[in-house]
Amino acid sequence: MEETYLLNVEGVKKKILHGGQGELPKLQDGSKFTFHFQTLKDDFERTVIDDSREAGMPMEIIVGKMFKLEIWETLLSSMRIGEVAEFWCDAIHTGMYALVSRGMRRIAEGRDPLEGQKHRCGMGNMFDYHSTGYEDLDELQRTPQPLIFIMELFRVRGWWGWLPELEQLGQAAQLLLPGQVEDPSAYKRDTWAMSKEEKLAAVPVLHSEGNRLVLRREFAQAAAKYQEAVICLRNLQAKEKPWEDGWLKLESLVTPLVLNYCQCQLELGEYYEVLEHTTELLQKHNDNAKAYFKRAKAHAAVWNEREAREDFQRVAHLDPSMAAAVKKELKQLGERMRKKHVEDRKRYQGLFQSSQGL
């Protein structure tokens, strides 16, 4: 059973994906964490920003050595050996992530992580950079936002010395050092830890599980299955060139999953969620009648009459086989709007009469 709770830190939530062993480590300055991590955006696809597994080596940070992203030390201090946990961190904690990630990526590329950096404090350097050299990190720097960190803690041990190369990196990165790492404890693998083949194999399973849950009218659980499948595919798409064959094949799998997710959200009354995701889908596929139909129903539910009628009309134009369903929806929309207008008129008349009597 997943356990979700707040750390005793403002703007941080923690979810344990797999429990660890033993007590919480007793830390002191010089203790060293060895762990794998994945950084995600807090969006529907949970877009992957960085993944230490992709780099092929674990991370190491040293307690008390002023690592730039201070919140990581706090997160890791809450974990037991072998634990896998997901942390949601508000923007107050993630403002320096772009610079930390820049340093990590440069190290992985065999480049100087401090290339072009002036000898000033980290916050000052943030304003010196016109660009990090990475488009996704530039976006984070322009628009600070909450991030999700998934961490798997392998080991905590004392520090037996200080490497000159780490001193050179200073606050930018005390990490990505190759070394012997204990095997992580066995657990049901979350999608973040899956290989490409495992993600592809998981998608039809998740799709089928979602469909089964829909038949049982367990819409929230079904939506979670569809979303997880989309995340698998979006992670794979990120490694393909947009609109080329590999990307398009994955996109053809994503679209029905997003539509299924939106249907669940309609059933749950999350209409603005539906509007967001159908609109995003239609920006890529403006001939998808089912997306227009679901968006139209969401517009109708939140009293956007004009937008709902426009979308329903597009549905009938794109897919004549849905004309009967559109006609039914438009009739229901007209009846609901007339009823609303009558109720509104009575309400306003009552307010006017009450004000006259004062």
Side-chain angles (χ1 to χ4, degrees):
M1 188 76 176
E2 291 183 351
E3 181 182 2
T4 306
Y5 60 92
L6 290 174
L7 287 175
N8 190 26
V9 180
E10 182 183 358
V12 174
K13 297 177 185 179
K14 177 180 179 181
K15 179 192 294 183
I16 295 177
L17 304 180
H18 174 71
Q21 302 172 353
E23 301 295 325
L24 288 174
K26 292 181 173 60
L27 302 174
Q28 57 185 358
D29 284 358
S31 297
K32 180 167 66 172
F33 292 108
T34 303
F35 62 102
H36 267 306
F37 81 97
Q38 190 177 58
T39 304
L40 313 170
K41 285 187 177 181
D42 184 21
D43 58 10
F44 173 71
E45 290 89 0
R46 289 162 63 95
T47 305
V48 178
I49 300 171
D50 290 307
D51 188 340
S52 64
R53 293 179 182 274
E54 292 288 332
M57 60 184 73
M59 283 265 303
E60 293 183 349
I61 66 172
I62 316 302
V63 175
K65 293 299 181 182
M66 298 178 66
F67 182 59
K68 231 174 204 177
L69 202 64
E70 295 179 8
I71 193 63
W72 272 17
E73 188 173 310
T74 301
L75 305 183
L76 291 163
S77 297
S78 77
M79 299 177 68
R80 292 172 169 81
I81 304 299
E83 181 178 320
V84 182
E86 175 178 311
F87 300 92
W88 178 91
C89 294
D90 202 353
I92 59 174
H93 300 295
T94 63
M96 300 300 293
Y97 185 78
L99 295 185
V100 171
S101 178
R102 176 182 184 271
M104 290 189 290
R105 294 183 187 187
R106 284 177 172 268
I107 292 171
E109 294 165 2
R111 301 164 63 191
D112 179 0
L114 302 184
E115 180 182 329
Q117 181 171 319
K118 298 179 181 179
H119 292 289
R120 291 172 56 189
C121 70
M123 189 60 71
N125 279 313
M126 176 179 285
F127 295 107
D128 282 334
Y129 297 138
H130 297 291
S131 172
T132 62
Y134 303 93
E135 185 176 347
D136 57 339
L137 299 184
D138 288 344
E139 178 193 348
L140 292 182
Q141 200 162 254
R142 286 191 300 268
T143 312
Q145 57 194 267
L147 294 175
I148 296 168
F149 303 110
I150 300 177
M151 294 177 164
E152 181 176 8
L153 182 61
F154 299 148
R155 183 172 60 196
V156 180
R157 66 183 183 188
W159 180 242
W160 300 302
W162 185 247
L163 297 180
E165 53 265 42
L166 290 185
E167 190 70 49
Q168 180 187 11
L169 296 182
Q171 297 176 14
Q174 298 135 18
L175 38 94
L176 290 174
L177 298 176
Q180 184 177 1
V181 180
E182 293 89 354
D183 291 333
S185 54
Y187 64 97
K188 182 182 177 182
R189 303 190 78 190
D190 203 358
T191 51
W192 74 278
M194 290 180 180
S195 66
K196 176 181 179 180
E197 292 73 20
E198 288 170 329
K199 287 175 182 174
L200 284 172
V203 168
V205 176
L206 291 166
H207 198 159
S208 177
E209 289 177 355
N211 292 347
R212 177 177 55 82
L213 289 164
V214 166
L215 291 174
R216 292 164 52 180
R217 301 192 65 78
E218 297 178 15
F219 297 112
Q221 295 89 332
K225 295 295 182 182
Y226 295 136
Q227 182 180 21
E228 188 174 358
V230 170
I231 290 166
C232 286
L233 294 169
R234 290 299 192 205
N235 288 348
L236 294 173
Q237 268 190 318
K239 298 175 176 62
E240 302 285 345
K241 290 185 178 180
W243 302 106
E244 293 195 355
D245 287 346
W247 189 94
L248 288 169
K249 287 178 181 178
L250 293 169
E251 184 69 14
S252 69
L253 299 175
V254 168
T255 300
L257 288 164
V258 172
L259 291 172
N260 287 0
Y261 174 85
C262 288
Q263 182 60 41
C264 290
Q265 297 305 317
L266 281 173
E267 298 286 351
L268 294 167
E270 299 291 344
Y271 303 119
Y272 290 102
E273 181 92 352
V274 177
L275 292 175
E276 176 185 351
H277 296 302
T278 50
T279 298
E280 183 179 347
L281 192 153
L282 287 165
Q283 288 172 350
K284 298 178 183 176
H285 311 288
N286 61 5
D287 60 348
N288 192 300
K290 290 182 179 179
Y292 279 117
F293 189 78
K294 296 184 192 305
R295 191 171 75 171
K297 287 177 70 69
H299 275 308
V302 296
W303 307 106
N304 296 338
E305 182 180 12
R306 178 180 59 81
E307 293 87 346
R309 290 187 180 279
E310 288 177 355
D311 278 353
F312 279 132
Q313 288 165 3
R314 288 192 186 100
V315 173
H317 174 72
L318 289 167
D319 188 351
S321 70
M322 298 181 70
V326 167
K327 184 177 180 180
K328 179 182 176 182
E329 292 290 342
L330 286 171
K331 181 180 178 181
Q332 291 177 349
L333 175 62
E335 290 171 353
R336 287 182 70 239
M337 295 307 301
R338 282 191 292 274
K339 183 177 179 181
K340 182 176 185 295
H341 292 326
V342 170
E343 291 174 350
D344 287 346
R345 186 163 56 249
K346 288 180 179 178
R347 186 180 302 112
Y348 295 140
Q349 286 174 348
L351 288 172
F352 178 75
Q353 290 169 358
S354 297
S355 64
Q356 290 288 332
L358 293 177

